[in-house]
Amino acid sequence: AQSVAQPEDQVNVAEGNPLTVKCTYSVSGNPYLFWYVQYPNRGLQFLLKYITGDNLVKGSYGFEAEFNKSQTSFHLKKPSALVSDSALYFCAVRDIDYNKLIFGAGTRLAVHP
Amino acid sequence: GAGVSQSPRYKVAKRGQDVALRCDPISGHVSLFWYQQALGQGPEFLTYFQNEAQLDKSGLPSDRFFAERPEGSVSTLKIQRTQQEDSAVYLCASSLEGLQTREAFFGQGTRLTVV
């Protein structure tokens, strides 16, 4: 069965520093991977996706993610964190057999001034 | 509209009451999904429509949950005889095509509290 794991419940980073939010996946076949962000009392907002092509995917708000097939990882990164980046981040994988997303448990990112 | 719209935003139901949650997807989007998000958890898949056809309802937790999309646009998630464990945020998402090529766009959700 397809799954994703987000090993960190929370990530703390100082404003201006680079940030990484980790995600590993388990799929049969080629993975379709997504990152979403959730602000308080808001729905999930799409950040970026990997379907095929370059391993480094660029997305919204300066975020990018690196697909690593050998490590089965899809970590979210940003070179310089902003306080406004503080939110809940979800990694997701498309179920190979069915047209649905399987989400990780989420990682709370806290960016401190 | 510009995005996925859900109503109501908040719903308080007495245990045993029936509720109906509405989702207006982005115009022209073929795929529509319902997810349930418990407090502190990631969204869990409930059901999927392609136009008016409900192709996957494997995530519906019990026969008290029912979803429809009769004309291939607006969808309603109905929960009968609500229980306290039904308290969660219910998210609706739509996608132009299938997820093999397109991302899903989510609404703000309906927060259901069963008392």
Side-chain angles (χ1 to χ4, degrees):
Chain A
Q2 283 72 229
S3 66
V4 292
Q6 295 182 243
E8 303 154 316
D9 290 336
Q10 178 152 334
V11 170
N12 297 297
V13 64
E15 186 175 31
N17 283 1
L19 69 88
T20 298
V21 182
K22 296 179 180 178
C23 172
T24 58
Y25 64 89
S26 175
V27 300
S28 54
N30 294 322
Y32 295 162
L33 298 159
F34 303 79
W35 275 103
Y36 283 81
V37 60
Q38 188 173 39
Y39 296 99
N41 299 316
R42 304 271 299 272
L44 294 165
Q45 295 180 32
F46 170 77
L47 279 179
L48 49 80
K49 65 184 177 188
Y50 172 83
I51 294 180
T52 187
D54 290 340
N55 290 341
L56 186 63
V57 180
K58 294 190 182 296
S60 306
Y61 313 120
F63 284 92
E64 57 190 26
E66 185 173 9
F67 172 70
N68 188 315
K69 188 173 183 178
S70 63
Q71 297 185 3
T72 63
S73 67
F74 189 56
H75 300 333
L76 182 70
K77 300 181 179 183
K78 188 173 182 180
S80 179
L82 300 173
V83 173
S84 57
D85 292 330
S86 298
L88 195 54
Y89 290 81
F90 291 97
C91 181
V93 63
R94 175 184 171 256
D95 188 292
I96 295 298
D97 297 323
Y98 302 96
N99 195 28
K100 62 186 177 185
L101 292 176
I102 299 168
F103 285 87
T107 298
R108 186 166 300 281
L109 173 66
V111 182
H112 305 284
Chain B
V4 178
S5 177
Q6 293 187 245
S7 61
R9 289 290 316 279
Y10 303 92
K11 176 68 178 178
V12 178
K14 291 184 178 179
R15 190 171 57 180
Q17 184 180 354
D18 297 350
V19 298
L21 312 180
R22 177 187 170 103
C23 173
D24 279 275
I26 295 173
S27 179
H29 277 200
V30 168
S31 298
L32 186 145
F33 308 84
W34 283 99
Y35 283 81
Q36 181 190 58
Q37 186 176 19
L39 189 64
Q41 303 291 321
E44 296 279 346
F45 171 80
L46 292 177
T47 187
Y48 159 61
F49 290 86
Q50 185 178 84
N51 295 308
E52 69 278 4
Q54 189 176 20
L55 299 186
D56 185 353
K57 53 182 181 180
S58 62
L60 296 177
S62 78
D63 59 6
R64 296 186 296 103
F65 286 71
F66 172 77
E68 60 182 4
R69 193 186 185 197
E71 298 179 355
S73 55
V74 172
S75 177
T76 303
L77 176 67
K78 298 179 180 179
I79 309 173
Q80 297 177 324
R81 304 181 303 281
T82 53
Q83 303 294 317
Q84 283 192 319
E85 61 263 28
D86 299 335
S87 296
V89 175
Y90 291 86
L91 297 169
C92 177
S94 70
S95 177
L96 184 61
E97 300 165 355
L99 293 175
Q100 61 271 28
T101 55
R102 298 285 187 172
E103 63 273 20
F105 294 89
F106 283 79
Q108 292 184 292
T110 294
R111 182 178 297 277
L112 173 65
T113 303
V114 181
V115 297

